[in-house]
């Protein structure tokens, strides 16, 4: 039901005379785009800079993409900022990413209000520093009535852990007699994922050249169209985002069925 709230409704008029929108079918914009923003470290190293320099540039790239995605009518952007596996990185890099996130959530808020961006987070709160959690909660609260794009940041996120957690919650309901095993359906399961209430991603973008899913939205990407580029995330531009959407618009999404012609 909630899914209908996110149906793409786009005013086609901005297409006129704007090269970043030229050629796009504004009636077929992916409603939900998920992004694996990979390559920050390699981007920085290629310039002889510390990996953290790449993360700062990555945060700036995300800002540009949020604005552009909103301008073409994307309703939800889910960005993979920190995985449950990223704790394995050196503590200095982890601390830097946490600080960057806090800075992002502070500095960006005025802009978010201007562009009516709404914020949400997916992932587990366990293990995240209290100060980060406070900033996240404040950002959600302060943007909750905004009417523009939903920026959904995956932080301390792991797809397998998300599924295990959903199974655990459902098992508890069953043990308490609130749900019988026969009542467990796809919809019930989805109600226990972090993404509850959101439609599944239509398009999954991965930068940085690797061709893997990296434990991102394992359940939700079942029918997502994939688009990858060797470009490192800090160099990812609205023009490239547009290329991904153009590619999406050429796809024949069958969801396991047949095309209308067949
Ligand atoms: C991947 O690059 C990126 C990350 C692990 C997370 C950091 C993401 C950002 C800084 C962008 C958005 C930031 C915020 C604060 C919302 P990598 O380090 O894995 O690069 P590599 O594959 O070249 O090593």
């Amino acid at each position: 039901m909630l899914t209908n709230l996110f149906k793409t409704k786009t005013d086609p008029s901005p297409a006129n005379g704007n090269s970043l929108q030229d050629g796009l079918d504004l009636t077929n914009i992916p409603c939900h785009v998920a992004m694996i923003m990979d390559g920050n470290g390699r981007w920085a190293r290629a310039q002889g800079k510390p990996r953290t320099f790449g993360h700062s540039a990555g945060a700036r790239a995300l800002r540009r993409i949020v604005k552009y995605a909103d301008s073409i009518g994307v309703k939800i952007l889910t960005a993979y900022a920190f995985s449950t596996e990223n704790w394995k990185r050196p503590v200095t890099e982890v601390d830097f990413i946490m600080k960057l996130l806090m800075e992002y959530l502070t500095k960006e808020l005025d802009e978010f209000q201007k562009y009516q961006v709404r914020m949400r987070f997916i992932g587990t709160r366990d293990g995240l520093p209290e100060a980060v959690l406070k900033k996240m909660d404040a950002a959600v609260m302060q943007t909750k009535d905004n009417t523009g794009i939903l920026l959904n940041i995956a932080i301390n996120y792991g797809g397998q852990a998300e599924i295990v957690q959903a199974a655990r919650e459902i098992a508890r309901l069953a043990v308490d007699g609130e749900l019988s095993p026969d009542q467990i359906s796809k919809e019930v399961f989805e109600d226990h994922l972090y993404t509850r209430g959101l439609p599944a991603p239509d398009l999954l973008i991965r930068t940085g050249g690797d061709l893997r899913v990296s434990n991102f939205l394992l359940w939700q990407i079942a029918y997502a169209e994939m688009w990858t580029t060797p470009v490192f995330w800090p160099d990812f531009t609205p023009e490239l985002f547009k290329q991904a959407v153009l590619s999406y618009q050429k796809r024949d999404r069958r969801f396991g069925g047949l095309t209308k012609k067949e």
Side-chain angles (χ1 to χ4, degrees):
M1 275 305 169
L2 270 169
T3 306
N4 290 332
L5 288 176
F6 296 101
K7 279 264 151 51
T8 306
K9 280 190 256 105
T10 317
D11 171 9
S13 54
N16 298 330
N18 181 341
S19 67
L20 273 174
Q21 297 194 346
D22 282 352
L24 283 177
D25 174 359
L26 294 178
T27 65
N28 184 24
I29 296 292
C31 172
H32 184 173
V33 179
M35 302 188 299
I36 302 177
M37 310 179 287
D38 199 19
N40 292 345
R42 281 167 288 164
W43 180 86
R45 284 291 181 218
Q47 303 170 61
K49 301 262 173 49
R51 293 174 52 80
T52 49
F53 183 74
H55 295 317
S56 299
R60 291 194 293 276
L62 179 60
R63 179 183 310 149
R64 294 192 293 270
I65 297 304
V66 173
K67 283 187 194 167
Y68 176 67
D70 186 40
S71 77
I72 60 169
V74 172
K75 299 295 172 201
I76 307 164
L77 202 54
T78 297
Y80 205 3
F82 191 83
S83 76
T84 42
E85 287 69 37
N86 286 151
W87 294 106
K88 293 179 205 154
R89 294 186 178 203
V91 68
T92 46
E93 183 170 338
V94 171
D95 283 353
F96 186 90
I97 294 177
M98 293 298 153
K99 283 202 186 97
L100 187 66
L101 180 69
M102 292 212 293
E103 200 183 291
Y104 191 81
L105 297 178
T106 310
K107 283 195 187 157
E108 226 54 25
L109 268 188
D110 283 350
E111 283 280 286
F112 285 167
Q113 303 297 16
K114 189 163 130 201
Y115 288 92
Q116 289 290 302
V117 175
R118 218 153 32 99
M119 295 221 54
R120 178 168 162 169
F121 296 91
I122 55 170
T124 174
R125 295 171 70 92
D126 297 344
L128 284 176
E130 200 54 45
V132 172
L133 291 171
K134 268 196 181 152
K135 282 273 174 216
M136 287 162 52
D137 292 343
V140 172
M141 268 302 289
Q142 286 171 41
T143 63
K144 72 178 177 21
D145 296 325
N146 287 349
T147 53
I149 195 168
L150 173 68
L151 173 59
N152 191 29
I153 298 188
I155 180 109
N156 203 15
Y157 176 86
Q160 291 172 332
E162 178 184 32
I163 291 170
V164 169
Q165 188 222 246
R168 211 177 268 151
E169 281 180 20
I170 294 168
R172 262 188 221 117
L173 291 176
V175 167
D176 293 346
E178 288 177 43
L179 193 72
S180 81
D182 291 340
Q183 286 173 305
I184 302 171
S185 60
K186 177 176 170 285
E187 288 74 23
V188 166
F189 206 89
E190 286 174 346
D191 271 347
H192 292 270
L193 296 174
Y194 301 130
T195 47
R196 69 188 68 87
L198 301 181
D202 301 293
L203 174 63
L204 171 65
I205 293 175
R206 179 169 189 140
T207 63
D210 287 325
L211 300 177
R212 54 177 169 260
V213 169
S214 298
N215 203 14
F216 190 41
L217 301 174
L218 295 183
W219 174 286
Q220 297 88 339
I221 59 170
Y223 286 102
E225 297 295 328
M226 295 188 67
W227 189 86
T228 62
T229 172
V231 169
F232 295 142
W233 175 255
D235 284 336
F236 190 68
T237 55
E239 178 55 46
L240 285 166
F241 191 95
K242 177 184 166 187
Q243 294 306 320
V245 174
L246 284 171
S247 167
Y248 167 87
Q249 293 186 334
K250 290 193 193 109
R251 316 274 178 98
D252 177 21
R253 301 190 77 194
R254 293 187 297 280
F255 298 95
L258 300 176
T259 55
K260 287 191 191 95
K261 286 173 240 144
E262 288 167 307

